[in-house]
Structures are given as structure tokens and as C-alpha cells.
Amino acid sequence: MRGGLDVATLVGLAAAAGVILVAITAGGSLRAFVDPPSLMIVLGGTLAVTTASFSLGDVAVAWKHAAAVLIHQTLDPKGVARQVLLLAEAARRAGPETLKNVLPELRSEPFLHRSVTLITEGLPPDVIERMLAGQVEASAGVHGKSAGVLRRASEVAPAMGLIGTLVGLVQMLGSLNDPSAIGPAMALALLTTFYGAVLGNVVLAPLAAKVERAAEDDALVKTLYTIGAVSIARQENPRRLEMLLNAVLPPGKRIQYFDREAPSVGA
């Protein structure tokens, strides 16, 4: 298990914010870039339009996934492959029923626990494959929808900024005879575009990309578990299972368990 803060995301967002702040403070006052009506238009409008495009549940799940990629726990694919091979070796030596003894240790990884449970229940390999593949597809669909919500929000935010700009320009043109009202109207016109561009391109678009990446990592891990569960249920040789796992793993993550990593007999 690899967990903790996603340093790349946090550093990237912090660096982008830092560059913007330096540009603002170098040429003027930070206070001039704070305008509550502009924030209301961009933030509220983006949330409202995104929700209208999907549903409240979809939006809530998307923000949950976006927060999860900042403080994440991911399984190392190489570690997953080794774990699957260890289970395969144990089942090869003592039969699939022996895996019941390790089920309590697998509760921290629900998908693996489910996979091993199906094996110990004696279900046919084809049935196990269909059930687990269905769960992988369903999980990928949920993550894909969350990424779609964030992508949609990243598109809406600049549009809401443009709408706010038009509102500010209308207000400004309607109050040309009042010099004191021109300044606030111009601020609304310009700052909404600024807020929309920052929110859409600096915050939402990177989060959508991270959710998509997390979905790919999750699908890879669950695919490895599925391959292992089907192979164990078929009582195949673990060496063949190693080849099947390496066919799915990226080149840099492939393992040589039996040639280098497996403990020698009598050691």
C-alpha cells in the first residue's frame, strides 16, 4: 500500500497559485483582485450548471473522488502481483479451500476479499470471471462519470467568467454618468473572467486528470486480482499465472517472481 498526500498535485497547484500571486503583488495590490460578487457568479454558477448537467449524487461523488486523489492510498501493482502469486502457491499446495484461513487478513482490500471468497465457495472459474469483471466495469464507470463531472465543471467555469464579464460591462455602460460606479462594474467585468480561467484551468482540469489516472490504477489492480482469482479457481500452475500477470502489467512493473523473488525450497 502506498498512501499519503499526493505531492505532485499539491506542489503543482501551489506552484501555480504562487506564480499568480507573484504576478498580482508585483504589479499592484492583492486586495484589488478580491471581489465577492465575481466569486459568487463563477463558483455558484459553475456548481449550478454542472449539477444541472448531471445530478446531485454524481456531483457529490465527483467531489469525493477529487478529494481522495489529494490524500490517496494506492496499491503497488508489483506488490499486488506478488500477493496474487503467493495466494496461488498456497492454493496449489493445499487446495483452494485453504485460502479461507487468510480471508480475515484481506478485509482491508474488499475486492481481493471478494475474489478469494468466491474461490473458497467453489464457484466455477467462468462465473467468477464474469462477476469480478462486472465489478471492475462498474467501478470504472463510477470513476469515469466523476472525471466527466470535473471536466464539465472545468468547461463551465470560464463560461461563467465570461457571463460575469458581460454583466459587468452592461452595468458599466448603464452608469457612465456616475463615475463612482464605473470602477466596481469594471472590476466585476474583469475579475469574473480571471476567476473562471483560474478555476477551470488551474484547479478543475488537473483534478479531472488525476481522477482519470486514479481510475486507471484502480482498474489495473482489480484486473490483476481478477486474473489471479480465475487462475486459482482453475488450479493453473502459478508460473503460468505469472506470465498472465506480466501481460497486463506495464513494462516497468513486471515481475520475475519464480526466477528471482520466490524463496527457495528448504530456505
Side-chain angles (χ1 to χ4, degrees):
M1 180 75 74
R2 300 175 299 180
L5 295 175
D6 189 334
V7 178
T9 302
L10 296 177
V11 170
L13 293 177
V19 169
I20 294 172
L21 286 175
V22 168
I24 290 174
T25 55
S29 171
L30 179 62
R31 193 170 185 178
F33 284 79
V34 178
D35 187 67
S38 298
L39 279 173
M40 180 186 67
I41 291 174
V42 173
L43 294 178
T46 299
L47 180 60
V49 174
T50 304
T51 303
S53 301
F54 294 90
S55 68
L56 287 174
D58 292 338
V59 173
V61 171
W63 287 118
K64 179 181 177 181
H65 285 158
V69 299
L70 299 178
I71 304 176
H72 69 297
Q73 286 188 329
T74 59
L75 292 168
D76 180 15
K78 292 183 70 172
V80 168
R82 295 189 191 102
Q83 185 180 25
V84 168
L85 288 172
L86 285 171
L87 293 173
E89 284 191 293
R92 179 81 169 178
R93 289 193 301 266
E97 296 79 8
T98 192
L99 296 181
K100 289 182 179 180
N101 299 326
V102 299
L103 279 175
E105 303 174 11
L106 306 179
R107 294 189 181 278
S108 60
E109 182 54 39
F111 191 86
L112 177 59
H113 186 275
R114 174 65 171 163
S115 302
V116 175
T117 300
L118 295 176
I119 295 171
T120 59
E121 289 176 351
L123 293 178
D126 292 342
V127 174
I128 294 176
E129 185 174 16
R130 286 198 302 270
M131 294 178 66
L132 295 181
Q135 292 185 30
V136 173
E137 185 177 353
S139 178
V142 172
H143 281 88
K145 182 173 287 188
S146 294
V149 170
L150 294 172
R151 288 286 183 197
R152 175 60 177 160
S154 70
E155 297 169 357
V156 170
M160 294 307 304
L162 179 59
I163 291 173
T165 297
L166 296 176
V167 171
L169 289 176
V170 170
Q171 292 177 348
M172 183 184 68
L173 293 174
S175 56
L176 289 177
N177 57 349
D178 184 4
S180 64
I182 295 177
M186 180 63 74
L188 177 65
L190 297 179
L191 287 178
T192 48
T193 298
F194 172 74
Y195 290 153
V198 170
L199 179 63
N201 297 287
V202 178
V203 179
L204 294 174
L207 287 179
K210 281 291 184 178
V211 170
E212 290 175 346
R213 176 66 181 273
E216 293 174 359
D217 293 342
D218 180 71
L220 174 60
V221 168
K222 289 180 177 178
T223 299
L224 295 173
Y225 284 145
T226 301
I227 293 173
V230 174
S231 179
I232 294 171
R234 290 175 177 164
Q235 300 184 17
E236 296 176 341
N237 191 311
R239 288 183 177 273
R240 182 177 187 277
L241 173 58
E242 181 184 29
M243 291 188 293
L244 294 174
L245 295 174
N246 280 332
V248 176
L249 287 167
K253 297 291 185 180
R254 290 171 184 167
I255 61 173
Q256 292 179 319
Y257 180 82
F258 289 102
D259 294 335
R260 298 182 181 180
E261 303 175 20
S264 60
V265 179

